[in-house]
């Protein structure tokens, strides 16, 4: 099993020779000094000096242009029976780019994509960015209300949507002045297929794109309720993607005796492309590495096994729930999946107990996990192989060579190893800003450092453990959910007096949404009615799955704010003791109130 670790050494030369071994840091220095793709220099970015790749593509269009000879006659994109080799992919991207320009899309304009993992998503993304416009992926699970908010916030006037998203957007499209294009499984006034047919042939766009121009706006749930638009640049994207590609070279250097890959790189994209894990870490990294990219419309472990075997997939990256379900399905169907070389995790922390089981189930694959954010273009901390099996609770080590890291106290003083503080990261991969939120940007970005809101500790060797979240975020199967956003939806019900939302541990999804509710009139509302109320305003995955009920005021702290941690601890304690969380008896209510106030 391969892996990388700061304490391991990198053998240079053939096994058995007297060539001195290198530490990981020396190995990184060797790669950056001998491989022109990863040569490092410095650049001024928005008034700050950062390490950057000297020779990497300046923007996403150049990334696509740079891999023509890498692909040869192999497929780039696969979706069911549909296949795109490199010439077909480029032909359709350039035709779409010309059609968008004729439609009036200009550099800097924002174009929204509201769809599941159809192949039109990457084709449009590449075309939009090729003409210097900014792509805005919309969360496909959002309600119409949430979609309307994001479209107004980003100012997009051109939107591409599949059937379900089209039905949600169409009612307000005229009010917002949208040109709404129907994609694949729905017909509308404007259609993707008609747009593509307008231009039978086209060459590469010639519009100038600066490396520090905006590439995308990705929405990420924040602790303030409404999703925040994270503005990412082309340089940030390329910095993250090429750092991750360089990381893939390290295992072979660290263990020269491990067998070289015998299959061309091939990835299975199973998480939504509107999230940074699938978009940057899988799709665009795979494109830059010359991988064949297999898209799944919807997660199905048995279908994933069929695709892995049929396409000889080498790389699988999903949320921990998906890797666990893949493992169980492979055992049930007696499918060892020998082509898999890498099983990564993102979006949420993988349960420690799952790490060893995955390594046993897939001995030919390196099991990996990491930490990253939308704000970092998914770059951050990673761990894989034996070091991960030996340290399953760890998030990993900082990905070289462009990043810096600090763990600080409330006064921004760096903390020694072993002490818990807020994790800060600094690199050219970090976001430019939060869209339309200068105060939030100023709070998160200070002197070039991104204040992540995650609480962490690091040991003497630089191994990082994420121990808590400063922000009130629930991560359900890789989806970020703001507690305040769900509380706002609960308060839409006229009988809700107070509500406190928090995470509840879940074996399958990592976390689910729980809520403590105080009603104005006892017994006037049941769980089903509150769920229906939330579902009117928010996506289904944000609807609370567990409820606790209380007759008196919720517990509060010294500043009179609701004490979320105390309430959560009391409710989980009740759950562990066998009390029914849906039982609205006076005993249950008083127990909750007493426990919560007592913490």
């Amino acid at each position: 099993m391969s892996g990388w670790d700061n304490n391991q050494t990198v053998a240079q030369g053939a096994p058995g020779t007297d060539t001195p071994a290198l530490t990981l840091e020396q190995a990184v220095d060797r790669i950056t000094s001998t491989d022109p793709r990863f040569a490092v220099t410095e650049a001024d970015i928005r008034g700050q000096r950062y390490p950057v790749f000297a020779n990497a593509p300046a923007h996403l269009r150049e990334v696509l242009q740079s891999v023509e000879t890498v692909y040869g006659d192999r497929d780039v994109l696969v979706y069911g029976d549909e296949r795109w080799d490199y010439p077909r992919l480029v032909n359709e991207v350039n035709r779409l780019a010309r059609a968008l320009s004729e439609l009036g899309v200009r550099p800097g304009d924002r174009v929204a994509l509201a769809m599941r993992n159809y192949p039109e998503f990457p084709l449009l993304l590449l075309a939009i960015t090729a003409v210097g416009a900014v792509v805005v992926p919309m969360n496909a699970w959002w309600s119409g209300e949430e979609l309307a908010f994001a479209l107004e916030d980003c100012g997009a006037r051109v939107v591409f949507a599949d059937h379900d998203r089209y039905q949600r957007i169409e009612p307000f499209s005229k009010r917002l002045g949208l040109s709404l294009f129907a994609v694949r499984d729905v017909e509308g006034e404007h259609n993707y297929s008609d747009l593509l047919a307008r231009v039978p042939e086209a060459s590469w766009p010639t519009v100038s794109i600066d490396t520090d121009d905006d590439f995308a706006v990705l929405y990420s749930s924040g602790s303030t309720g409404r999703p925040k638009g994270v503005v990412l640049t082309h340089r940030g994207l390329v910095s993250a993607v090429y750092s991750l590609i360089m990381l893939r070279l390290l295992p072979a250097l660290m263990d020269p005796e491990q067998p070289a890959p015998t299959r061309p790189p091939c990835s299975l994209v199973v998480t939504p492309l509107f999230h940074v894990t699938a978009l940057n870490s899988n799709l665009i990294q795979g494109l830059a590495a010359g991988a064949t990219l297999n898209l799944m419309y919807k997660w199905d472990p048995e279908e994933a096994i069929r695709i892995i075997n049929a396409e000889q997939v080498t790389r699988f990256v999903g949320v921990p729930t998906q890797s666990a379900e893949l493992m169980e399905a492979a055992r049930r169907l007696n499918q060892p999946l020998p082509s898999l070389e890498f099983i990564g995790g993102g979006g949420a922390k993988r349960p420690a107990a799952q790490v060893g089981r995955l390594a046993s189930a897939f001995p030919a694959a390196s099991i990996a996990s990491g930490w990253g954010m939308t704000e970092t273009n998914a770059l951050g901390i990673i761990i894989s192989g034996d070091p991960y099996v030996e340290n399953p609770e760890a998030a990993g080590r900082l990905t070289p060579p462009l990043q810096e890291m600090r763990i600080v106290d409330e006064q921004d003083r760096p903390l020694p190893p072993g002490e818990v503080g807020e994790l800060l990261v600094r690199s050219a991969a970090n976001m430019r800003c939060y869209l339309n939120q200068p105060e939030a940007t100023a709070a998160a970005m200070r002197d070039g450092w991104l204040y992540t809101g995650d609480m962490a500790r690091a040991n003497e060797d630089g191994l990082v453990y994420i121990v808590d979240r400063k922000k009130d975020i629930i991560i359900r199967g890789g989806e970020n959910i703001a507690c305040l956003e769900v509380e706002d939806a609960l308060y839409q019900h006229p009988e809700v007096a107070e509500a406190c939302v928090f995470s509840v541990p879940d074996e399958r999804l990592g976390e689910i949404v729980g809520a403590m509710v105080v009603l104005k009139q006892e017994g006037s509302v049941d769980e089903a009615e509150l769920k229906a109320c939330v579902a009117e305003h928010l996506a289904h995955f944000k609807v609370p799955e567990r409820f606790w009920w209380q007759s008196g005021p919720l517990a509060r702290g010294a500043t009179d704010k609701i004490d979320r941690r105390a309430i959560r601890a009391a409710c989980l304690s009740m759950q562990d003791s066998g009390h029914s969380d849906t039982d609205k008896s006076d005993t249950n209510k008083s127990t909750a109130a007493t426990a919560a106030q007592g913490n």
Side-chain angles (χ1 to χ4, degrees):
M1 184 183 299
S2 62
W4 63 275
D5 186 283
N6 277 335
N7 293 325
Q8 291 181 311
T9 57
V10 181
Q12 302 295 308
T17 67
D18 294 329
T19 306
L22 300 179
T23 65
L24 176 63
E25 184 178 34
Q26 291 169 331
V28 171
D29 288 342
R30 178 67 60 86
I31 293 173
T32 56
S33 62
T34 59
D35 190 330
R37 294 176 298 171
F38 306 112
V40 175
T41 185
E42 288 191 343
D44 287 313
I45 307 172
R46 299 181 293 277
Q48 295 288 331
R49 196 82 173 158
Y50 294 92
V52 297
F53 290 118
N55 304 313
H59 45 74
L60 183 53
R61 189 177 73 204
E62 282 193 3
V63 171
L64 182 58
Q65 291 172 313
S66 72
V67 292
E68 177 179 5
T69 58
V70 175
Y71 276 107
D73 60 356
R74 288 189 297 108
D75 290 324
V76 180
L77 191 64
V78 178
Y79 180 78
D81 295 332
E82 303 173 55
R83 311 182 83 87
W84 284 257
D85 61 12
Y86 185 85
R88 180 188 175 188
L89 183 89
V90 169
N91 174 271
E92 293 194 18
V93 166
N94 286 339
R95 289 163 60 197
L96 285 167
R98 174 74 62 83
L100 287 168
S101 295
E102 293 177 355
L103 197 65
V105 174
R106 298 290 179 261
D109 288 350
R110 298 182 185 120
V111 179
L113 304 181
M115 66 184 76
R116 299 290 291 267
N117 282 9
Y118 283 128
E120 286 83 356
F121 192 116
L123 292 168
L124 282 164
L125 177 138
L126 293 168
I128 292 163
T129 56
V131 297
V134 182
V135 66
V136 187
M138 301 270 118
N139 190 312
W141 295 326
W142 277 345
S143 66
E145 186 177 316
E146 291 165 304
L147 288 165
F149 164 78
L151 287 168
E152 288 190 88
D153 186 57
C154 74
R157 290 293 173 263
V158 178
V159 183
F160 292 86
D162 64 7
H163 182 274
D164 288 354
R165 271 47 64 178
Y166 191 96
Q167 299 300 324
R168 295 174 203 169
I169 294 171
E170 198 275 335
F172 59 79
S173 62
K174 286 185 172 54
R175 175 175 66 83
L176 296 186
L178 303 178
S179 294
L180 180 59
F181 283 82
V183 174
R184 186 168 285 248
D185 58 353
V186 61
E187 291 293 323
E189 181 180 353
H190 307 292
N191 295 282
Y192 170 93
S193 55
D194 295 337
L195 185 69
L196 182 62
R198 289 184 193 180
V199 183
E201 293 293 335
S203 56
W204 287 104
T206 57
V207 62
S208 177
I209 303 173
D210 188 83
T211 191
D212 290 313
D213 284 348
D214 293 344
F215 144 69
V217 178
L218 270 70
Y219 279 86
S220 176
S221 291
S223 58
T224 55
R226 287 291 194 178
K228 291 186 288 189
V230 180
V231 181
L232 305 174
T233 67
H234 284 273
R235 192 202 295 270
L237 171 72
V238 171
S239 295
V241 164
Y242 273 73
S243 293
L244 294 171
I245 290 176
M246 195 193 86
L247 193 66
R248 293 164 74 165
L249 303 178
L250 292 176
L253 289 174
M254 298 173 65
D255 182 7
E257 295 185 355
Q258 70 171 303
T262 58
R263 300 176 178 89
C266 183
S267 293
L268 181 59
V269 182
V270 298
T271 54
L273 287 168
F274 50 78
H275 282 326
V276 72
T277 299
L279 185 63
N280 290 5
S281 299
N282 212 344
L283 180 77
I284 298 175
Q285 183 194 169
L287 183 70
T292 299
L293 302 159
N294 293 267
L295 301 184
M296 285 191 75
Y297 168 79
K298 184 178 181 181
W299 171 245
D300 180 327
E302 293 191 7
E303 175 64 7
I305 287 172
R306 187 197 66 77
I307 296 172
I308 290 169
N309 285 329
E311 301 292 337
Q312 292 295 282
V313 169
T314 62
R315 188 176 181 86
F316 177 95
V317 178
V319 297
T321 301
Q322 291 169 321
S323 56
E325 292 179 351
L326 181 73
M327 175 175 60
E328 292 307 315
R331 285 176 174 164
R332 185 174 64 253
L333 300 175
N334 193 27
Q335 295 288 334
L337 307 181
S339 67
L340 283 181
E341 299 170 358
F342 182 90
I343 300 175
K349 185 179 183 297
R350 178 181 281 118
Q354 191 187 108
V355 180
R357 291 199 292 266
L358 282 168
S360 298
F362 304 111
S366 177
I367 312 303
S369 183
W371 169 94
M373 302 174 69
T374 304
E375 289 87 341
T376 68
N377 267 291
L379 188 63
I381 295 166
I382 195 166
I383 189 168
S384 66
D386 291 332
Y388 187 29
V389 174
E390 294 161 5
N391 302 277
E393 295 282 358
R397 290 185 168 80
L398 198 67
T399 303
L402 304 182
Q403 295 188 104
E404 300 175 72
M405 178 188 81
R406 288 179 183 169
I407 295 176
V408 302
D409 63 15
E410 291 291 338
Q411 286 73 46
D412 286 347
R413 295 174 299 202
L415 292 171
E419 293 197 24
V420 174
E422 184 173 4
L423 176 65
L424 279 55
V425 290
R426 188 180 194 277
S427 85
N430 286 351
M431 69 172 184
R432 180 171 69 80
C433 67
Y434 289 120
L435 184 65
N436 304 325
Q437 297 195 41
E439 292 183 1
T441 301
M445 298 290 295
R446 305 178 219 167
D447 296 324
W449 290 92
L450 174 68
Y451 284 65
T452 69
D454 284 307
M455 305 300 286
R457 61 179 173 85
N459 65 19
E460 294 280 358
D461 298 319
L463 193 62
V464 179
Y465 296 78
I466 305 295
V467 299
D468 203 348
R469 287 192 298 278
K470 206 172 184 179
K471 299 174 281 189
D472 294 320
I473 294 292
I474 300 166
I475 303 180
R476 180 190 183 276
E479 287 289 332
N480 286 0
I481 303 168
C483 292
L484 291 179
E485 185 180 29
V486 182
E487 287 169 6
D488 287 344
L490 284 168
Y491 281 120
Q492 296 296 315
H493 196 289
E495 290 301 315
V496 173
E498 287 190 324
C500 177
V501 171
F502 47 85
S503 65
V504 176
D506 183 79
E507 184 173 330
R508 178 173 176 267
L509 296 168
E511 294 177 345
I512 57 175
V513 182
M516 168 73 86
V517 177
V518 177
L519 299 176
K520 295 176 182 177
Q521 299 180 49
E522 290 187 22
S524 60
V525 182
D526 62 14
E527 178 179 325
E529 190 172 344
L530 285 186
K531 286 184 175 182
C533 175
V534 176
E536 288 180 8
H537 303 279
L538 302 178
H540 69 89
F541 66 88
K542 300 179 182 179
V543 176
E545 297 179 49
R546 301 280 178 83
F547 282 83
W548 286 260
W549 310 87
Q550 186 166 305
S551 56
L554 294 178
R556 280 170 163 75
T559 60
D560 205 41
K561 291 182 180 179
I562 289 176
D563 193 339
R564 193 183 311 277
R565 290 190 180 185
I567 294 169
R568 177 181 185 271
C571 290
L572 296 185
S573 175
M574 287 172 53
Q575 176 178 278
D576 292 340
S577 67
H579 284 286
S580 171
D581 51 7
T582 57
D583 180 7
K584 293 170 116 181
S585 67
D586 289 338
T587 301
N588 189 41
K589 291 180 186 178
S590 61
T591 301
T594 302
Q597 295 286 359
N599 275 279

